[in-house]
Amino acid sequence: MRDISGVGTDARRGGYSRPVFSNAETELRSWFIEQAGRRGLDVATDHNGIIWAWWDTATGTRKDAVVTGSHLDSVPGGGEYDGPLGVASALVAVDILKNRGFRPRRPLVIAIFPEEEGSRFGVACLGSRLLTGALDPNKARNLRDADGNTYADVAAANGQDPRFIGADHKTLQQLGLFVELHVEQGRGLIDLRQPVAIGSSILGHGRWKLSVKGQGNHAGTTLMMDRKDPMIAAAKIMIGIRDIARNYKDARATVGRLQPVPGGTNVIASRVEMWIDVRHPRDEVTAALVESVHLNAQVIAAEEDCTVSFGVESLSPTVHFDAGLRDQLRTLLPAAPVLATGAGHDAGVLAGHIPTAMLFVRNPTGISHSPEELVDDADAETGARALADVLAGLLGEARIIG
């Protein structure tokens, strides 16, 4: 991690900003390719921008592979460890296994998935969604970032041919299971006083875009009684989102991004766009909460003589990791507790296609998606050793875990 600790630091926000295809993210991708090559891994980047680094068996047959890895992109002003910890730990785990003289009986591959956070194009786990066919390629090509650039144009400028993105059944057929190591994004391990946990499930979650349209006008000449101000409606809607979410036990609802258009200090906005993140263990509750938000937004907008449009950007149901694989991990790591997570991961997307599992490494602050995110060196080392032990156990068995 020290090798990449200076890449993508954000002087304005603090922390790290490493959106997909940015200079910081591409520098990290180059770093990984170089590090994997040093370890004798066979590295290639596929048409979806996923990097695969293979440790082949003596026969060279790529079937029933054990996959590990994570992502290198970040949220704006995010923490140092969200994503890169899983990547660095995978490389260290390979070192540990090679130092032990280990010879895998099934192939191991480290995977690096692009745009896991969705911070540039708005769709979380974009790379794994493309791989599995969960995202329509045409929709992906036409996604736009905050500057209006399409995914297709940005991908092409970074050496990818966007014509070929989409479901990759050939690669999926090579994969037997996936184990993703990640910094814990909560307080579970702090409270349990343990350095490493095994994941049980991922909370169902989605992202919705809500636009409030009003009448753009002059801030100085437009009387208060004559305004159709979408910012006022948006403010009331945000408070309503908080209040609605509090009515549903275990729900989370967040407006993390708000964009007035045109955004001038002396201009009444013509429209305001907001992005809403909603999570709950039960998918039907998520749907009910979101519908309440939509209906409440329509009422509030009408009161301000504005209108509302509303649409889903991404949606992931609650995922329960493969029970058989989880039990194997518990056998291999008997001291590790089992924890659920409220954060989304590529392991959740892949869970519908191959058995998946997760390992979490303690975060002594309990804070994530923030510069305050932290992992102690001793815990990072413990996590890498735990991953190596898990991989050794799984690589020693030439069969698919079901």
Side-chain angles (χ1 to χ4, degrees), residues 130-343:
L130 286 172
L131 168 68
T132 59
L135 179 63
D136 178 75
N138 286 325
K139 178 180 178 180
R141 279 187 280 266
N142 289 302
L143 292 170
R144 291 183 181 273
D145 64 14
D147 295 322
N149 304 302
T150 67
Y151 177 85
D153 289 342
V154 176
N158 283 271
Q160 280 185 247
D161 192 332
R163 294 176 300 171
F164 302 121
I165 65 173
D168 188 348
H169 301 295
K170 180 179 178 181
T171 296
L172 276 174
Q173 289 172 357
Q174 295 177 312
L175 312 180
L177 57 88
F178 178 47
V179 179
E180 181 174 2
L181 181 144
H182 204 278
V183 59
E184 192 198 1
Q185 296 173 286
R187 294 190 50 85
L189 285 166
I190 298 173
D191 296 338
L192 292 169
R193 299 182 180 180
Q194 292 289 332
V196 176
I198 298 166
S200 62
S201 60
I202 295 176
L203 205 64
H205 59 283
R207 296 180 184 182
W208 288 262
K209 182 180 179 182
L210 189 151
S211 295
V212 188
K213 295 182 180 179
Q215 176 64 64
N217 214 330
H218 194 290
T221 62
T222 310
L223 298 177
M224 299 304 291
M225 66 184 70
D226 294 334
R227 299 185 178 206
K228 302 176 182 179
D229 190 342
M231 281 290 279
I232 300 301
K236 293 180 179 179
I237 289 167
M238 282 192 289
I239 293 171
I241 290 168
R242 180 200 64 184
D243 294 343
I244 290 167
R246 285 176 172 176
N247 292 327
Y248 293 87
K249 187 177 183 295
D250 297 326
R252 288 88 152 154
T254 306
V255 177
R257 181 179 166 202
L258 186 77
Q259 185 173 316
V261 178
T265 304
N266 59 344
V267 180
I268 299 168
S270 58
R271 76 176 186 275
V272 176
E273 297 178 338
M274 66 176 73
W275 286 261
I276 308 165
D277 182 299
V278 179
R279 307 181 188 224
H280 193 275
R282 292 168 52 198
D283 300 328
E284 64 272 22
V285 174
T286 299
L289 193 162
V290 169
E291 181 62 17
S292 294
V293 167
H294 186 196
L295 293 173
N296 189 56
Q298 289 177 314
V299 171
I300 291 172
E303 291 172 350
E304 298 296 331
D305 207 6
C306 296
T307 60
V308 162
S309 61
F310 191 72
V312 64
E313 293 211 326
S314 64
L315 183 61
S316 300
T318 293
V319 172
H320 297 278
F321 293 123
D322 184 83
L325 180 55
R326 186 179 67 241
D327 289 345
Q328 272 201 285
L329 265 61
R330 294 182 72 180
T331 300
L332 294 165
L333 302 174
V338 178
L339 291 176
T341 181

Side-chain angles (χ1 to χ4, degrees), residues 362-373:
R362 179 168 50 197
N363 174 354
T365 68
I367 297 172
S368 189
H369 281 186
S370 162
E372 295 176 65
E373 180 181 272

Side-chain angles (χ1 to χ4, degrees), residues 13-168:
R13 299 182 181 97
Y16 295 82
S17 293
R18 299 161 167 169
V20 70
F21 297 131
S22 66
N23 290 337
E25 197 252 5
T26 54
E27 182 177 343
L28 291 181
R29 290 165 68 87
S30 297
W31 164 82
F32 172 77
I33 290 169
E34 189 269 335
Q35 289 292 319
R38 280 190 186 184
R39 290 160 172 81
L41 306 183
D42 184 23
V43 187
T45 303
D46 70 14
H47 51 261
N48 290 316
I50 304 169
I51 304 174
W52 303 92
W54 290 86
W55 183 3
D56 290 310
T57 63
T59 65
T61 302
R62 292 181 177 177
K63 185 178 179 182
D64 191 29
V66 172
V67 190
T68 190
S70 193
H71 62 98
L72 293 167
D73 64 300
S74 78
V75 298
E80 182 177 358
Y81 299 90
D82 183 354
L85 179 67
V87 175
S89 296
L91 292 169
V92 173
V94 168
D95 292 339
I96 291 170
L97 294 177
K98 291 198 171 205
N99 288 337
R100 293 177 185 173
F102 187 82
R103 294 288 186 272
R105 281 193 278 163
R106 59 195 293 193
L108 171 69
V109 58
I110 303 175
I112 311 301
F113 295 99
E115 184 69 335
E116 193 268 357
E117 298 290 3
S119 63
R120 182 164 187 178
F121 293 101
V123 177
C125 301
L126 189 145
S128 55
R129 289 180 190 274
L130 286 172
L131 168 68
T132 59
L135 179 63
D136 178 75
N138 286 325
K139 178 180 178 180
R141 279 187 280 266
N142 289 302
L143 292 170
R144 291 183 181 273
D145 64 14
D147 295 322
N149 304 302
T150 67
Y151 177 85
D153 289 342
V154 176
N158 283 271
Q160 280 185 247
D161 192 332
R163 294 176 300 171
F164 302 121
I165 65 173
D168 188 348

